[in-house]
């Protein structure tokens, strides 16, 4: 409960970010998320340093000229960008929506694990999800879909994360009773 109530999407992220091995370790945990058929219909592509700059350049090159600098800057806001690729198993008896649900569940688990370890993250979508240049750079195969980038680093905050109160759930929960 502490982890879920204190995790926030962090806008400001700086070094350190987890290294590749630490990311792999956390992903082993996140990959235990519920997944019908155990298909793991997703993969991550990590970018930092020059690779991150190349990804930002690819995205910026597609933007209208007046937006390029801002698009590039926004793509470089965290030391680690983890691109989440949905790789559904076509024609599988587990329908695609369930495979997408499995990928989302895994991503949330990963964000909670990052948070519990002191890292911050934010899932970003928008322009990058439909970018042909980024598809090419990341090596997406036909049938794969970019679900976004999870920006990761250490939150730049003055205080500890604020603990939120649990949301008001009326209208989101029904307890079925027999008539
Ligand atoms: C699939 C998905 C896509 C998101 N895309 C963006 C985005 O493009 N930009 C952004 O600032 N936040 C994005 N977010 C983060 C949400 O805005 C954030 O989770 C929401 O505001 C609640 O804030 P919290 O995570 O701190 O509870 C995305 C979250 C999800 C799950």
């Amino acid at each position: 409960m502490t982890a879920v109530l204190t995790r926030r999407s962090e806008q400001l992220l700086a070094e350190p970010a987890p290294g590749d091995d630490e990311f792999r370790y956390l992903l082993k945990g996140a990959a235990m998320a519920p997944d019908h058929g155990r298909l793991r219909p997703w993969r991550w592509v990590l970018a930092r340093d020059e690779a991150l700059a190349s990804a930002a350049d690819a995205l910026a090159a597609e933007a209208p000229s007046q937006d390029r600098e801002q698009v590039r800057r926004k793509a470089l806001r965290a030391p680690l960008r983890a691109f989440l690729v949905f790789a559904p198993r076509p024609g599988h008896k587990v329908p695609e929506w369930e495979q997408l649900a499995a990928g989302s569940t895994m991503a949330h688990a990963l964000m909670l694990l990052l948070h519990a370890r002191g890292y911050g993250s934010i899932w970003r979508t928008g322009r990058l999800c439909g970018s042909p240049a980024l598809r090419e750079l990341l090596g997406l195969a036909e049938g794969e879909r970019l679900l976004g980038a999870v920006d990761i680093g250490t939150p730049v905050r003055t205080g500890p994360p604020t603990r939120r109160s649990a949301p008001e759930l009326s209208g989101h929960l029904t307890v079925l009773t027999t008539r």
Side-chain angles (χ1 to χ4, degrees), residues 7-9 11 122-126 164:
R7 183 209 57 81
R8 299 308 314 268
S9 291
Q11 297 286 340
I122 179 167
W123 187 335
R124 294 195 188 274
T125 44
R164 288 178 288 183

Side-chain angles (χ1 to χ4, degrees), residues 4 6-11 77 104 111 121-128 147-149 164:
V4 294
T6 57
R7 183 209 57 81
R8 299 308 314 268
S9 291
E10 300 287 351
Q11 297 286 340
R77 279 181 290 194
S104 308
M111 291 172 85
S121 67
I122 179 167
W123 187 335
R124 294 195 188 274
T125 44
R127 168 191 302 277
L128 69 96
L147 297 183
R164 288 178 288 183

